[in-house]
Amino acid sequence: MRRLATARPALAVAAAALALAAPAARAQGGGASASPLVGWADSAKGLSEGARLHTTLVHPPYGHTLGIHRARPKHLEIFLGGRTTFDDPQGLAAVKFASDDDPDAEGDDFQLTLFGVNAGRGEVIYNSSMKTLGLYGGEGGGDGNFSSPHGITATADGRVYVADTGNRRVARLRWDPVGRALRWVGSWSAGRPFDVAADARGNAWVVDREADAVLRFADSAAGAGTALLPPSPIEAGRWPLPEDATAPLGIAVGDSLDPWYRPRAYRLHLVDRDGERLRILDVEGRVRAEVSAGALAREGVAAGRFLYLALDHYGNVYATDPVAEAVHKFDPSLGHLATFHGPGPEEWALRQPRGIAIWKRFGQVFVAEREGARYFFVGTDFAVADPARIRVEGPGRYALGLFLTEAATVRLAFLDASGDTLAMADAGGWPTGEVTVRWGEGEWRPMPPQSGWMERAERVAVVARPTYSSRKKFRRVRTVDVEWRRP
């Protein structure tokens, strides 16, 4: 069988999104609830079992965030006392600074620092602790100011870069672990910078819309000095792009040396043509994969314009789409996995999503909106035929086709006409996309009777759990009729 290594789980996950600085509580024990839709109690928020849910991304459980998973203008008022308002939010960055990581302390790994660009006011909003917010910058052209900034990125060793678009530069900031604040250290010139990404080798990669280029800046302050860092796969001052690359926007760099990034490759992920196209490029500038917003629309998927990008642990690509008010999710080859408009009811829908950041280690996802920000966990969803066509491949060996939007472990429970369980199987872990889930004698819990049970089995409950932090408190369940396929 094809199996997946499980991503290291979190003990708890920070509740520190923009203005989501409620005290984070460790999720209390207990497994998933018995809901046929999701694992944690959405019924408390007015959902019925008939509500249509989308669980590619899920809200963290109440015990983790005290129910605060969306930043609104009122939260800025509470935490910053009217010092600012949301005004054209743009890029996001989430990081666990090495200076904040005590190897002897338990339970702090989930606590992140989140930076959000508030472009209309030329500032960066960040959580200076788990309970407080800070501001940096202001509209202007001097050191420590910004003009129409867009993208932002941050590294574990304390480097923070901002695409300061209106000032035609990339601002270089440093995190002060004592004062828990940002400080200005300089800038790099660029024509019209829009987005910025950092790799694990001391490079900052910057989208320059004026030059239709992705520029490379090596930071001598990276780590203990770039001489001690692995060499860059690209030594030139820009990433080689195809001749037809034009009007670039969002960027993400996948680096095989990132300890929480599974793919063993160094790749550029680039939105260009003003959001119409998303590509993956290798270090020679060859196109490894490509998808267009127009192609998604022709396939019946709501799509408008790709904007910002983020990568997860498995190399899946997330692209925000403020026109369709969605986040599109693609596999590492840009196969479409899901278009996520929000977890369910209209009041939970995304509102013009812009920047996106994913902390790969634990699957924490932050999305900037028109007037705020959202906090999610990576969840999972799947499609299965109804009736489920289960193929008998031999004595005790079976197979079932699924489409998974996220890597997941799969369990199956076969039910009789009254809903009683006849047999259960743990089918192991499976990757995203179209998969044929197989299980044999070793996966039954316990082995079903040698005869008779299949004739009585009328329905099957398929249960999928993601491999990130949410796996302990979330499951996706679909129950459908059974259709046996024998050789």
Side-chain angles (χ1 to χ4, degrees), residues 55-56 316 318 329 337-338 379-382 403-407 432-433:
T55 58
T56 295
N316 298 313
Y318 295 69
K329 181 176 180 179
L337 295 173
T380 193
D381 208 340
F382 66 92
F403 184 92
L404 286 162
T405 68
E406 175 60 35
T432 57

Side-chain angles (χ1 to χ4, degrees), residues 209 247 249 271-278 293 304-307:
R209 285 173 59 79
L249 287 170
V271 174
D272 73 343
R273 292 184 176 174
D274 273 331
E276 165 57 25
R277 183 170 62 185
L278 168 58
R305 177 177 182 252
F306 305 139
L307 188 57

Side-chain angles (χ1 to χ4, degrees), residues 91-92 150-153 163 193-199 203-208 213-217 238-239 241 247-254 266-272 277-281 306-311 317-320 355-357:
L92 286 179
H150 285 90
I152 188 170
T153 191
F194 181 84
D195 201 8
V196 58
D199 65 14
N203 295 313
W205 292 98
V206 179
V207 167
D208 188 337
V214 176
L215 309 179
R216 170 180 172 262
F217 297 97
R238 59 181 63 194
W239 198 295
L241 301 181
L249 287 170
I251 186 179
V253 174
Y266 191 89
R267 296 283 186 265
L268 173 70
H269 303 71
L270 177 67
V271 174
D272 73 343
R277 183 170 62 185
L278 168 58
R279 281 173 158 178
I280 299 178
L281 307 171
F306 305 139
L307 188 57
Y308 288 98
L309 301 177
L311 308 177
V317 185
Y318 295 69
T320 59
I356 182 170

Side-chain angles (χ1 to χ4, degrees), residues 96-102 108 113 156-158 175-178 180:
K96 176 69 175 181
F97 287 122
S99 58
D100 293 335
D101 193 0
D102 183 351
D108 72 338
T113 302
D157 62 356
W175 179 250
D176 177 359
V178 178
R180 303 203 60 78

Side-chain angles (χ1 to χ4, degrees), residues 57-213:
L57 298 175
V58 295
H59 289 147
Y62 182 88
H64 174 72
T65 64
L66 303 183
I68 304 176
H69 46 72
R70 189 175 207 164
R72 301 180 186 273
K74 65 180 181 181
H75 295 110
L76 284 189
E77 176 67 29
I78 292 171
F79 287 101
L80 291 172
R83 292 165 57 199
T84 194
T85 60
F86 287 122
D87 187 350
D88 191 20
Q90 290 292 327
L92 286 179
V95 66
K96 176 69 175 181
F97 287 122
S99 58
D100 293 335
D101 193 0
D102 183 351
D104 297 324
E106 293 185 3
D108 72 338
D109 290 341
F110 62 88
Q111 296 176 350
L112 306 177
T113 302
L114 184 71
F115 299 96
V117 172
N118 202 26
R121 298 177 68 91
E123 62 193 9
V124 174
I125 307 173
Y126 61 94
N127 60 301
S128 50
S129 73
M130 291 301 102
K131 298 181 181 181
T132 57
L133 295 182
L135 290 174
Y136 181 85
E139 188 68 31
D143 293 354
N145 297 115
F146 307 106
S147 175
S148 300
H150 285 90
I152 188 170
T153 191
T155 66
D157 62 356
R159 291 172 289 130
V160 179
Y161 306 113
V162 180
D164 190 5
T165 310
N167 287 322
R168 303 173 66 86
R169 65 188 180 184
V170 180
R172 300 170 56 206
L173 312 176
R174 294 290 179 272
W175 179 250
D176 177 359
V178 178
R180 303 203 60 78
L182 291 168
R183 60 183 179 87
W184 180 274
V185 296
S187 64
W188 294 305
S189 296
R192 191 181 169 202
F194 181 84
D195 201 8
V196 58
D199 65 14
R201 308 162 196 250
N203 295 313
W205 292 98
V206 179
V207 167
D208 188 337
R209 285 173 59 79
E210 183 174 271
D212 286 332

Side-chain angles (χ1 to χ4, degrees), residues 331-423:
D331 67 23
S333 298
L334 295 186
H336 180 249
L337 295 173
T339 290
F340 179 80
H341 294 275
E346 174 63 23
E347 61 268 25
W348 292 1
L350 293 169
R351 304 300 184 195
Q352 295 183 18
R354 289 94 180 274
I356 182 170
I358 300 177
W359 186 240
K360 301 182 187 73
R361 182 177 183 183
F362 297 136
Q364 296 159 267
V365 182
F366 306 91
V367 181
E369 295 184 292
R370 178 184 59 208
E371 290 185 310
R374 300 288 289 277
Y375 181 26
F376 298 103
F377 282 176
V378 172
T380 193
D381 208 340
F382 66 92
V384 60
D386 188 2
R389 302 177 182 92
I390 299 178
R391 188 167 66 249
V392 181
E393 296 189 331
R397 299 197 303 275
Y398 302 85
L400 172 65
L402 298 178
F403 184 92
L404 286 162
T405 68
E406 175 60 35
T409 58
V410 178
R411 171 177 288 190
L412 303 102
F414 293 88
L415 313 174
D416 63 16
S418 62
D420 292 333
T421 301
L422 299 170

